[in-house]
């Protein structure tokens, strides 16, 4: 029912939106979502499903109002839409982009939403479905609808700024998944346009700056350009200043500090200037301090930065703090939370310098809890590679062949999750070649030597 209504709304064809079956689906879906316990058949929490279902039904009624010829039917559909948005529009888990929250009140009075508003709404519905399911097709549709909203939008309006910002963010997200350079370029282009439009409209500047900073940072990483990170860092510094000056909610400012910390971390990894890593830890600590409640994403990112600094300097204090912060991240992401695998993964990296058996146990749990998405899942590939590294480190100590065998198998799985041109792929290939070489010299397996030669011949 949910998927069928998704098709009715996302494709937005009049014949589909006005189909009586679609109206029946919307009514049944809302009734279903209002039950005390929801058996969805999906690996999502009741609360997440309720939000997705009610939001989808709300946009269905809003789009029907856009198309219906009868004025009374228009008013009835708008009233239904407004009621749905008020009842389920703002999710407790905040999985929908922050921009959506400002759109939840729906149209006022009897005004029929404009085409740009309708397309924007469809874009946000598609994005929410992508977050729930991980299906790249839903993200593609969010971008397509987002483009339409920008093309149909009214320059100078706040809605236009928000649509530009949303499009920049979704293009960056797709580029992070696929490694697409063209998406990364467009994300920056729309981010620059969003910033200019926000300055002109005197609205939404903080969010526009934050997403522009993320887009610049991602493009720099994709291109391997440390110099380009300077622009991302400068933009995030400005976003933080604007957020504090304008009284943006502490969670928003915390997120901007996290963005700055990641920019600085990337520059450290490119230039190996310890001052950048120190600044990244300071910014990451600010993010943790400013977050109104324990945020697992912010916490496990700080855990990773502290682990890197401990590795670089040998400071045991950083390592102790990394383990403490990493455990806080895991505790803040209970079983079923989407960030739990990432928190376990970063905590395992810290434990790898203390107790490899504990590190392997945590890394294995991170892999097991990672949802099965499609063949383009860089996050799961990263966790597979981390588990492989922990096993390889234990093999170097104990020389147990099952550890190196599993490490090679895990890297092969990781490669299967990475698109051909994804930047992570080259790193995994280098590690795979290293592990094959180590296994060949340890056990003299000719198939390892043949594979190493094949990889060299293929230029991998």
């Amino acid at each position: 029912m949910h998927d069928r209504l998704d098709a009715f709304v996302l494709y937005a064809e009049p014949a589909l939106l006005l189909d009586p079956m679609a109206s029946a689906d919307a009514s049944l879906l809302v009734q279903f979502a209002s039950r005390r316990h929801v058996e969805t058949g999906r690996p999502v929490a009741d609360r997440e499903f309720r939000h997705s279902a009610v939001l989808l039904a709300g946009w269905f009624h809003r789009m029907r109002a856009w198309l219906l010829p009868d004025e009374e039917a228009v008013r009835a559909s708008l009233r239904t839409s407004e009621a749905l948005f008020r009842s389920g529009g703002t999710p407790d888990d905040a999985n929908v982009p922050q921009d959506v929250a400002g759109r939840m009140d729906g149209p006022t009075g009897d005004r029929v939403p404009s085409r740009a508003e309708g397309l924007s709404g469809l874009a946000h519905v598609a994005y929410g479905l992508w977050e729930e399911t991980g299906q790249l097709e839903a993200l593609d549709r969010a971008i397509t609808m987002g483009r339409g909203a920008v093309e149909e939008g009214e320059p100078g309006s706040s809605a236009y700024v928000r649509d530009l910002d949303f499009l920049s963010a979704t293009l960056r997200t797709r580029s992070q998944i696929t490694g697409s350079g063209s998406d990364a370029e467009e994300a920056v282009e729309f981010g620059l346009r969003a910033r200019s439009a926000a300055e002109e409209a005197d609205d939404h500047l903080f969010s526009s700056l934050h997403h522009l900073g993320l887009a610049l940072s991602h493009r720099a990483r994709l291109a391997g350009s440390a110099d380009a990170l300077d622009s991302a860092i400068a933009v995030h510094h400005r976003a933080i200043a604007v957020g504090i000056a304008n009284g943006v909610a502490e969670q928003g400012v915390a997120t901007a500090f996290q963005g700055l910390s990641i920019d600085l971390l990337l520059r450290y990894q490119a230039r190996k200037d310890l001052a950048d890593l120190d600044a990244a830890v300071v910014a990451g600590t600010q993010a943790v301090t400013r977050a109104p409640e324990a945020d697992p994403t912010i916490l496990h990112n700080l855990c990773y930065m502290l682990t890197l600094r401990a590795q670089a300097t040998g400071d045991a204090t950083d390592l102790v703090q990394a383990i403490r912060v990493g455990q806080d991240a895991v505790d803040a992401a209970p079983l079923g939370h989407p960030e739990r695998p990432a928190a376990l993964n970063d905590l395992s990296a810290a434990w790898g310098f203390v107790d490899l058996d504990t590190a392997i146990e945590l890394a294995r749990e991170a892999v097991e809890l990672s949802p099965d998405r499609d063949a383009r899942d860089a996050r799961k590939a990263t966790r597979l590679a981390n588990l492989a590294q922990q096993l390889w480190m234990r093999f170097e100590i104990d020389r147990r062949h099952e550890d190196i065998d599993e490490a090679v198998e895990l890297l092969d799985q990781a490669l299967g999750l990475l698109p051909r041109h994804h930047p992570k792929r080259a790193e995994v290939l280098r590690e795979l070649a290293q592990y094959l070489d180590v296994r060949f010299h340890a056990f003299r397996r000719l198939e390892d030597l043949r594979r190493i030669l094949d990889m060299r011949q293929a230029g991998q």
Side-chain angles (χ1 to χ4, degrees), residues 63-105:
M63 292 305 295
R64 282 186 88 243
W66 179 42
L67 294 168
L68 287 167
D70 180 76
E71 289 187 9
E72 181 53 40
V74 168
R75 285 193 290 273
S77 201
L78 285 174
R79 284 194 296 271
T80 301
S81 176
E82 287 189 46
L84 288 167
F85 283 135
R86 281 195 296 270
S87 67
T90 305
D92 293 335
D93 53 16
N95 279 337
V96 176
Q98 188 65 33
D99 301 339
V100 184
R103 298 170 178 270
M104 290 302 157
D105 291 338

Side-chain angles (χ1 to χ4, degrees), residues 267-287:
R267 195 166 70 177
Y268 162 73
Q269 291 173 326
R271 295 179 179 169
K272 300 305 179 186
D273 183 345
L274 194 58
D276 280 336
L277 184 53
D278 289 339
V281 170
V282 170
T285 303
Q286 278 286 320

Side-chain angles (χ1 to χ4, degrees), residues 360-433:
I360 289 168
E361 182 181 342
L362 291 166
R364 198 178 299 283
E365 186 180 357
V367 169
E368 290 172 353
L369 291 179
S370 296
D372 291 323
R373 296 193 183 276
D374 55 21
R376 293 172 169 177
D377 192 348
R379 297 190 78 187
K380 187 170 184 176
T382 298
R383 293 163 200 156
L384 288 163
N386 178 55
L387 175 56
Q389 184 180 48
Q390 307 290 0
L391 289 163
W392 175 74
M393 290 168 64
R394 191 168 70 179
F395 169 78
E396 290 285 274
I397 298 170
D398 297 339
R399 312 303 285 182
R400 292 188 295 189
H401 70 84
E402 58 266 27
D403 280 345
I404 192 68
D405 289 346
E406 186 180 0
V408 169
E409 181 183 344
L410 289 165
L411 290 185
D412 279 330
Q413 292 177 32
L415 286 174
L417 297 177
L418 294 167
R420 184 170 182 79
H421 300 294
H422 197 283
K424 180 70 178 177
R425 189 176 179 86
E427 178 186 329
V428 172
L429 282 166
R430 283 194 300 271
E431 290 182 359
L432 178 59

Side-chain angles (χ1 to χ4, degrees), residues 191-441:
L192 290 168
R193 286 176 59 184
R195 180 183 64 181
S196 297
E199 290 171 336
E200 180 183 345
D202 193 24
D203 183 54
H204 202 63
L205 181 57
F206 168 75
S207 179
S208 297
L209 286 168
H210 174 56
H211 285 133
L212 174 58
L214 294 177
L216 288 165
S217 176
H218 171 65
R219 186 180 67 175
R221 185 180 186 183
L222 209 59
S225 172
D227 291 341
L229 286 166
D230 297 346
S231 298
I233 290 168
V235 168
H236 262 125
H237 272 299
R238 187 183 172 202
I240 291 167
V242 167
I244 293 173
N246 292 346
V248 169
E250 283 293 283
Q251 182 62 49
V253 176
T255 302
F257 268 110
Q258 179 183 308
L260 174 62
S261 70
I262 292 171
D263 296 344
L264 290 161
L265 172 65
L266 291 173
R267 195 166 70 177
Y268 162 73
Q269 291 173 326
R271 295 179 179 169
K272 300 305 179 186
D273 183 345
L274 194 58
D276 280 336
L277 184 53
D278 289 339
V281 170
V282 170
T285 303
Q286 278 286 320
V288 169
T289 302
R290 287 178 175 273
E293 58 185 31
D295 185 313
T297 303
I298 293 174
L299 286 164
H300 74 70
N301 282 337
L302 179 57
C303 168
Y304 179 68
M305 294 170 198
L306 287 164
T307 302
L308 278 185
R309 192 166 71 175
Q311 182 181 16
T313 65
D315 187 344
T317 304
D318 274 345
L319 193 55
V320 170
Q321 188 180 359
I323 291 173
R324 179 182 61 78
V325 172
Q327 187 60 55
D328 288 344
V330 172
D331 293 343
L335 196 63
H337 193 289
E339 279 301 295
R340 186 173 178 84
L344 288 164
N345 188 72
D346 285 344
L347 179 58
S348 78
W351 270 104
F353 294 95
V354 180
D355 184 335
L356 278 172
D357 290 337
T358 299
I360 289 168
E361 182 181 342
L362 291 166
R364 198 178 299 283
E365 186 180 357
V367 169
E368 290 172 353
L369 291 179
S370 296
D372 291 323
R373 296 193 183 276
D374 55 21
R376 293 172 169 177
D377 192 348
R379 297 190 78 187
K380 187 170 184 176
T382 298
R383 293 163 200 156
L384 288 163
N386 178 55
L387 175 56
Q389 184 180 48
Q390 307 290 0
L391 289 163
W392 175 74
M393 290 168 64
R394 191 168 70 179
F395 169 78
E396 290 285 274
I397 298 170
D398 297 339
R399 312 303 285 182
R400 292 188 295 189
H401 70 84
E402 58 266 27
D403 280 345
I404 192 68
D405 289 346
E406 186 180 0
V408 169
E409 181 183 344
L410 289 165
L411 290 185
D412 279 330
Q413 292 177 32
L415 286 174
L417 297 177
L418 294 167
R420 184 170 182 79
H421 300 294
H422 197 283
K424 180 70 178 177
R425 189 176 179 86
E427 178 186 329
V428 172
L429 282 166
R430 283 194 300 271
E431 290 182 359
L432 178 59
Q434 178 186 5
Y435 294 0
L436 288 168
D437 183 66
V438 167
R439 190 167 70 175
F440 170 71
H441 284 93

Side-chain angles (χ1 to χ4, degrees), residues 99 103 116 120 123-124 142-143 145-172 186-201 203-204 207-209 211-212 215:
D99 301 339
R103 298 170 178 270
S120 181
H124 284 90
I143 291 170
M145 297 297 181
R147 287 186 193 280
V150 168
E151 290 169 1
E152 298 283 344
E154 180 184 346
S157 67
S158 295
Y160 184 69
V161 177
R162 294 171 186 272
D163 289 336
L164 285 167
D165 191 28
F166 175 85
L167 186 53
S168 172
T170 48
L171 284 163
R172 170 179 51 81
E186 275 202 293
V188 172
E189 174 191 334
F190 283 108
L192 290 168
R193 286 176 59 184
R195 180 183 64 181
S196 297
E199 290 171 336
E200 180 183 345
D203 183 54
H204 202 63
S207 179
S208 297
L209 286 168
H211 285 133
L212 174 58

